[in-house]
């Protein structure tokens, strides 16, 4: 699984030259110069990407891809360290952004859509990827890999189960006057909740296919599935309980130990890491616990009107933004463009299958439970932009694939590389096509914004 974060930002971005003898040795001043220029570049891209109709995070991802990675010494282990740290902070901030008062009236539907949508879309996408690389579609081979095993296909799809609230809402910002405010709240809530849902589902799929591989010949697949489902439910339960307990403790810390706003960033990061560590040691889902703790902090009362969940959000927002940008940047740096060639046909078709089949079905099948109109649900189905979580899970995927049951050792390296390439291609195509077309679809549907939405947009 993902490794514990122990590296500095310079090590993550540039790697430790001593670990790779062939890497070029640079002084620390050069490291700092490179990092400074790199982040200024992401700022410029974030500023001008929306002007040409693409999400800012896609521009950051392509910036990382354009840099010559052969001159750097970043390893997947180093990237995995940062991805775990980043996911913990992103999920904590997602919990802080979930205001239960804003989603009153469609809370239950949002939960159904977030959890059920992840499961349905991942299963459908896994079937699509498995079929595309099957002998029946042998024109789409992945280099030396003639077919993708069903376990690998499901793992790839599970990585792509989560949507990105930041990407979706940043694209919708240009047409926010045409989109009802409560629909924007639904999209933000669904994207926040399906992050931990996707992480848990990915862990369940890993447990089924990878654990079964370790016990091949000694345990039946049915027994392994039941065991993993029990562990899955245990992780959810422990995560919920620990999250609520630490929610109370975190509120106590904010009320009685914090004296100044400047201390809140340290408190927020400390709470996120402590909650994740304790929950993981107890056998629960650290990501669920982190999200629940953030959710509790947002929907509680505080002693001081100047130090509360709003000020926590404000001080954590810049760090959260930098974390998300760095995840995209690091993944772009790790991708070697020639490696994408073999996976390009399947990646593009998988992206189309996700956008045109898996995501719409996973939304519209729950329409009977929806308080929204069919037009609004159509917009929701096209708002499934993928972002930081799929990219973060892609690094863990390369560690899980070699341990899949029945996999041919001769194709492990090629399959691992192409699996990451498929995820990268799906994210890029998804962000590009839906990022450009989403504002046009919102206008074409002719949605009527609520009076509250119009009022909230008055300067």
């Amino acid at each position: 699984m993902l490794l514990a974060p122990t590296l500095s930002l310079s090590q993550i971005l540039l790697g430790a030259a001593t670990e790779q003898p062939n890497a070029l040795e640079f002084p620390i001043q050069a490291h700092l110069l490179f990092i400074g220029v790199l982040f200024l570049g992401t700022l410029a891209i974030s500023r001008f990407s929306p002007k040409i109709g693409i999400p800012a995070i896609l521009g950051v991802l392509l910036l990382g891809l354009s840099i010559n990675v052969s001159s750097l010494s970043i390893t997947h282990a180093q990237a995995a360290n940062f991805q775990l740290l980043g996911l913990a902070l992103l999920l904590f901030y997602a919990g802080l952004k979930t205001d239960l008062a804003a989603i009153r009236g469609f809370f239950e539907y949002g939960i159904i859509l977030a959890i059920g949508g992840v499961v349905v879309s991942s299963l459908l996408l896994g079937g699509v990827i498995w079929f595309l690389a099957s002998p029946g579609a042998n024109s789409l081979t992945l280099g030396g890999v003639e077919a993708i095993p069903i376990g690998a296909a499901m793992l790839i799809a599970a990585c792509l189960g989560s949507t990105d609230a930041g990407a979706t809402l940043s694209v919708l910002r240009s047409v926010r006057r045409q989109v009802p405010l409560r629909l924007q709240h639904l999209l933000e809530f669904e994207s926040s909740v399906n992050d931990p849902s996707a992480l848990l589902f990915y862990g369940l799929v890993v447990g089924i296919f990878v654990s079964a591989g370790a016990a091949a010949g000694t345990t039946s697949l049915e027994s392994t599935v039941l065991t993993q489902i029990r562990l899955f439910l245990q992780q959810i339960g422990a995560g919920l309980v620990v999250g609520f307990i630490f929610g109370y403790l975190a509120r106590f810390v904010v009320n009685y130990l914090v004296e100044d706003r400047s201390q809140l960033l340290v408190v927020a990061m400390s709470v996120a890491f402590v909650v994740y560590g304790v929950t993981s040691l107890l056998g629960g889902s650290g990501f669920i616990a982190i999200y629940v703790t953030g959710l509790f902090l947002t929907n509680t009362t505080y002693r001081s009107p100047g130090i509360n969940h709003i000020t926590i959000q404000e001080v954590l927002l810049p760090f959260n933004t930098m974390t998300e940008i760095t995840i995209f940047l690091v993944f772009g740096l790790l991708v070697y463009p020639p490696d994408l060639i073999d996976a390009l046909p399947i990646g593009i078709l998988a992206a189309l299958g996700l956008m045109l089949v898996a995501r719409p079905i996973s939304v519209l099948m729950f329409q009977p439970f929806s308080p929204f109109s069919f037009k609004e649900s159509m917009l929701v189905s096209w708002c499934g932009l993928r972002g930081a979580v799929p990219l973060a899970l892609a690094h863990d995927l390369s560690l899980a694939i070699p341990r899949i049951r029945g996999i041919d050792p001769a194709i492990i390296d090629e399959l691992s590389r192409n699996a990451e390439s498929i995820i990268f291609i799906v994210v890029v195509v998804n962000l590009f096509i839906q990022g450009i077309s989403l504002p046009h679809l919102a206008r074409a549907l002719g949605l009527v914004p609520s009076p509250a939405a119009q009022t909230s947009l008055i300067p």
Side-chain angles (χ1 to χ4, degrees), residues 168-169 171-187 372 376 379-380 383 438-439 441-443 445-454 456-457:
T168 300
L169 296 179
V171 172
L172 283 175
R173 194 170 295 124
S174 61
V175 289
R176 61 188 182 275
R177 295 183 183 276
Q178 285 78 42
V179 180
L181 183 62
R182 72 185 200 126
L183 190 60
Q184 297 179 41
H185 287 155
L186 171 69
L187 291 170
F372 296 90
E376 291 172 324
L379 182 65
V380 171
C383 285
L438 190 55
L441 177 64
R443 296 188 185 96
L445 289 174
L447 301 177
V448 179
S450 61
Q454 295 173 340
S456 65
L457 294 171

Side-chain angles (χ1 to χ4, degrees), residues 142 152 156 397 401 414-424:
L142 289 168
I156 295 171
L397 180 65
I401 284 180
E414 188 76 20
L415 181 58
S416 298
R417 182 169 61 253
N418 283 307
E420 291 190 64
S421 298
I422 289 174
I423 293 174
F424 181 85

Side-chain angles (χ1 to χ4, degrees), residues 250-258 300-304 307-308:
R251 183 179 67 172
F252 175 83
V253 170
V254 173
N255 281 335
Y256 296 100
L257 299 184
V258 174
T300 189
T301 57
Y302 294 88
R303 190 177 65 167
S304 171
I307 299 179
N308 50 39

Side-chain angles (χ1 to χ4, degrees), residues 117-454:
V118 165
V119 175
V120 172
S121 62
S122 298
L123 292 175
L124 289 174
L125 180 60
V128 169
I129 294 173
W130 179 67
F131 170 76
L132 290 174
S134 67
N138 55 13
S139 60
L140 298 176
T141 55
L142 289 168
V145 181
E146 296 183 357
I148 296 181
I150 183 65
M154 287 301 171
L155 285 172
I156 295 171
C159 289
L160 292 162
S162 173
T163 61
D164 190 289
T168 300
L169 296 179
S170 67
V171 172
L172 283 175
R173 194 170 295 124
S174 61
V175 289
R176 61 188 182 275
R177 295 183 183 276
Q178 285 78 42
V179 180
L181 183 62
R182 72 185 200 126
L183 190 60
Q184 297 179 41
H185 287 155
L186 171 69
L187 291 170
E188 187 169 9
F189 177 65
E190 186 231 348
S191 300
S192 299
V193 175
N194 71 18
D195 282 348
S197 301
L199 290 165
L200 281 173
F201 183 73
Y202 173 78
L204 177 62
V205 174
V206 168
I208 291 173
F209 290 100
V210 172
S211 295
T218 62
T219 306
S220 66
L221 180 59
E222 293 79 5
S223 175
T224 301
V225 171
L226 292 176
T227 299
Q228 293 304 319
I229 291 177
R230 185 175 67 251
L231 292 174
F232 177 74
L233 296 176
Q234 173 187 320
Q235 286 187 321
I236 294 178
L240 291 173
V241 171
V242 176
F244 277 115
I245 292 174
F246 273 93
Y248 279 101
L249 295 176
R251 183 179 67 172
F252 175 83
V253 170
V254 173
N255 281 335
Y256 296 100
L257 299 184
V258 174
E259 297 181 351
D260 187 76
R261 175 191 174 104
S262 61
Q263 298 174 320
L264 286 176
L265 179 59
V266 176
V267 169
M269 295 178 62
S270 300
V271 167
F273 297 147
V274 168
V275 171
Y276 180 86
V278 170
T279 311
S280 299
L281 291 175
L282 294 176
S285 169
F287 296 118
I288 285 284
I290 287 173
Y291 179 80
V292 171
T293 300
L295 181 67
F296 182 90
L297 288 176
T298 292
N299 297 276
T300 189
T301 57
Y302 294 88
R303 190 177 65 167
S304 171
I307 299 179
N308 50 39
H309 67 281
I310 296 177
T311 50
I312 296 175
Q313 290 179 32
E314 291 174 352
V315 299
L316 197 57
L317 176 59
F319 202 87
N320 181 80
T321 302
M322 183 175 180
T323 300
E324 187 171 27
I325 287 175
T326 307
I327 287 178
F328 279 85
L329 185 61
V330 168
F331 196 87
L333 290 170
L334 284 174
V335 173
Y336 185 50
D339 289 342
L340 302 175
I341 296 176
D342 290 336
L344 199 58
I346 291 181
I348 293 175
L349 291 176
L352 295 176
L354 174 63
M355 293 185 291
L356 301 176
V357 179
R359 172 67 179 180
I361 290 178
S362 68
V363 172
L364 297 179
M365 73 178 297
F366 298 113
Q367 183 63 24
F369 306 97
S370 173
F372 296 90
S373 68
F374 182 78
K375 282 186 176 182
E376 291 172 324
S377 294
M378 288 294 294
L379 182 65
V380 171
S381 71
W382 198 246
C383 285
L385 277 71
R386 267 52 189 177
V389 174
L391 296 180
L393 288 177
H395 298 297
D396 189 63
L397 180 65
S398 63
L399 304 176
I401 284 180
R403 298 180 288 130
I404 294 176
R405 179 178 59 177
I407 192 169
D408 184 359
I411 67 170
I412 286 178
D413 292 339
E414 188 76 20
L415 181 58
S416 298
R417 182 169 61 253
N418 283 307
E420 291 190 64
S421 298
I422 289 174
I423 293 174
F424 181 85
I425 293 168
V426 169
V427 170
V428 170
V429 173
N430 175 259
L431 287 173
F432 182 76
I433 293 180
Q434 289 189 317
I436 290 178
S437 61
L438 190 55
H440 301 287
L441 177 64
R443 296 188 185 96
L445 289 174
L447 301 177
V448 179
S450 61
Q454 295 173 340

